[in-house]
Amino acid sequence: MTTKKRILKSMAALAACVPLLGWAAWPEKPIRMVVPYAAGGGADNTARVVAQQMSIALGQQIVIDNRPGAGGVIGEDNVAKAPADGYTVLYDASAFSVNPSLRKLPFDAAKDFIPVSLVATAPQILVVPATAPDQTVAQFLDFARKNPGKLSFASAGGGTGSHLAGEALNEQARLSLMHVPYKGGAPALTDVMGEQVSAYFGNVASTLGYVQSGKLRALAVSSAKRVPGLPDTPTLAESGLPGYNVVEWNGVFLPKGTPPDIVQRLGKAVQAAVNEPQVKQKLLQLGLEPAGTAPEAFAKFVQSETARVGALVKARNIRVD
């Protein structure tokens, strides 16, 4: 081999290594974490708790960028069109698996993102007014079946977790509870306590205090296992609806095309953050069940949730304005 050929071969090998060396150095600058919801909300609060610990693990600051609007679609689209270099991250919630069935999207949710890690799940509590005669789920279901159309359920808005949990109850239990949408969870809770509506699926953080103070009665929880703050309150699956498991969730995504080693390293940073004792305790205080999964497991979870919601939307003919 001539000297010229050896030099050209060495230059080609070096060029091939440059991208690898670049990715190996990631992150070399602050990371932008897009939260597609308003500051101060549940997802934003959780993102800030997790991002702070992730910054320590990665050695770089993570800057929260709130981009609310269109049920999360505006922020999601921003990340879908961002460079796939690991410096733009999406911190999303359950709406990610809901939007494909309810909204026309400017991106393909299944193809334009890489699931990185499930941060946490959020069970909901099925509550009724404290003065309601129903003491158990069985009594509630029995009355609803004998009096079709008489009972109602509130939600924090069309397409929200509380709406879908109620429709899932309608579908599985063959009920005809009337959906009453509100602009947020606070007015929904107020009207349940005021007996304006019959029931509500509320998240633990906003609802547990009213249950513990006796202003609301908890009949069951929506998750597969019981909630630590309500150890005597059964799951809906335990209450005659086997397999019922409807939770809200938070998770981290990257744009498609992000190098696999960055995906794995970011995933490990999320897992380390979620499993840090102080972070785990804060998540529990926010009414969340800490998770922290590998990218492959989260991808399967998102696929399963998207399919479940899609089937429910079709079966119940759910629409959003």
Side-chain angles (χ1 to χ4, degrees), residues 46-91:
T46 309
R48 292 176 188 277
V49 170
V50 175
Q52 183 178 17
Q53 189 64 34
M54 287 174 62
S55 295
I56 298 173
L58 294 170
Q60 285 289 348
Q61 182 184 10
I62 296 179
V63 180
I64 302 296
D65 182 6
N66 295 96
R67 300 224 172 191
V73 175
I74 291 176
E76 292 166 352
D77 188 48
N78 179 269
V79 176
K81 293 177 171 57
D85 56 7
Y87 291 102
T88 301
V89 177
L90 174 66
Y91 188 97

Side-chain angles (χ1 to χ4, degrees), residues 33-34 36 75-76 79 88-92 96 113 251-254:
M33 178 176 279
V34 175
E76 292 166 352
V79 176
T88 301
V89 177
L90 174 66
Y91 188 97
D92 213 336
F96 185 91
F113 298 92
V252 173
F253 298 81
L254 283 165

Side-chain angles (χ1 to χ4, degrees), residues 295-319:
E296 298 77 13
F298 185 37
K300 290 181 180 178
F301 175 84
V302 172
Q303 185 178 28
S304 174
E305 279 293 284
T306 304
R308 180 187 67 78
V309 172
L312 179 64
V313 167
K314 183 177 181 180
R316 302 298 304 173
N317 193 30
I318 298 173
R319 297 286 184 270

Side-chain angles (χ1 to χ4, degrees), residues 38-172:
D44 176 69
N45 290 336
T46 309
R48 292 176 188 277
V49 170
V50 175
Q52 183 178 17
Q53 189 64 34
M54 287 174 62
S55 295
I56 298 173
L58 294 170
Q60 285 289 348
Q61 182 184 10
I62 296 179
V63 180
I64 302 296
D65 182 6
N66 295 96
R67 300 224 172 191
V73 175
I74 291 176
E76 292 166 352
D77 188 48
N78 179 269
V79 176
K81 293 177 171 57
D85 56 7
Y87 291 102
T88 301
V89 177
L90 174 66
Y91 188 97
D92 213 336
S94 309
F96 185 91
S97 59
V98 175
N99 285 333
S101 298
L102 291 178
R103 295 178 170 89
K104 184 176 181 180
L105 304 179
F107 52 81
D108 187 326
K111 296 180 180 179
D112 291 342
F113 298 92
I114 300 174
V116 175
S117 183
L118 175 66
V119 172
T121 58
Q124 298 178 81
I125 308 172
L126 173 59
V127 293
V128 296
T131 53
D134 311 303
Q135 299 290 326
T136 65
V137 172
Q139 292 174 346
F140 180 83
L141 297 181
D142 182 62
F143 183 88
R145 287 169 179 149
K146 291 178 179 177
N147 299 271
K150 189 170 183 177
L151 297 184
S152 59
F153 76 95
S155 82
T160 61
S162 51
H163 179 199
L164 297 177
E167 294 294 2
L169 179 63
N170 265 337
E171 181 68 11
Q172 186 169 347

Side-chain angles (χ1 to χ4, degrees), residues 86-300:
Y87 291 102
T88 301
V89 177
L90 174 66
Y91 188 97
D92 213 336
S94 309
F96 185 91
S97 59
V98 175
N99 285 333
S101 298
L102 291 178
R103 295 178 170 89
K104 184 176 181 180
L105 304 179
F107 52 81
D108 187 326
K111 296 180 180 179
D112 291 342
F113 298 92
I114 300 174
V116 175
S117 183
L118 175 66
V119 172
T121 58
Q124 298 178 81
I125 308 172
L126 173 59
V127 293
V128 296
T131 53
D134 311 303
Q135 299 290 326
T136 65
V137 172
Q139 292 174 346
F140 180 83
L141 297 181
D142 182 62
F143 183 88
R145 287 169 179 149
K146 291 178 179 177
N147 299 271
K150 189 170 183 177
L151 297 184
S152 59
F153 76 95
S155 82
T160 61
S162 51
H163 179 199
L164 297 177
E167 294 294 2
L169 179 63
N170 265 337
E171 181 68 11
Q172 186 169 347
R174 292 183 171 84
L175 304 180
S176 56
L177 304 177
M178 182 178 67
H179 173 224
V180 183
Y182 287 81
K183 293 183 178 180
L189 280 167
T190 297
D191 274 9
V192 177
M193 286 185 280
E195 301 181 44
Q196 302 302 308
V197 283
S198 310
Y200 176 60
F201 278 92
N203 62 57
V204 175
S206 65
T207 311
L208 183 59
Y210 293 113
V211 172
Q212 293 174 332
S213 65
K215 294 181 179 179
L216 289 170
R217 178 181 300 134
L219 296 184
V221 294
S222 67
S223 50
K225 62 180 183 180
R226 298 190 181 195
V227 172
L230 294 170
D232 296 327
T233 300
T235 66
L236 280 163
E238 294 174 317
S239 305
L241 297 173
Y244 187 102
N245 180 23
V246 179
V247 295
E248 296 186 275
W249 54 268
N250 286 187
V252 173
F253 298 81
L254 283 165
K256 72 174 181 181
T258 303
D261 62 322
I262 291 182
V263 175
Q264 293 296 326
R265 288 169 66 184
L266 185 65
K268 289 179 180 178
V270 176
Q271 294 169 54
V274 171
N275 286 307
E276 202 280 329
Q278 290 185 342
V279 172
K280 184 175 289 188
Q281 183 59 34
K282 288 181 180 178
L283 294 179
L284 289 170
Q285 290 172 351
L286 291 170
L288 301 170
E289 182 67 29
T293 61
E296 298 77 13
F298 185 37
K300 290 181 180 178

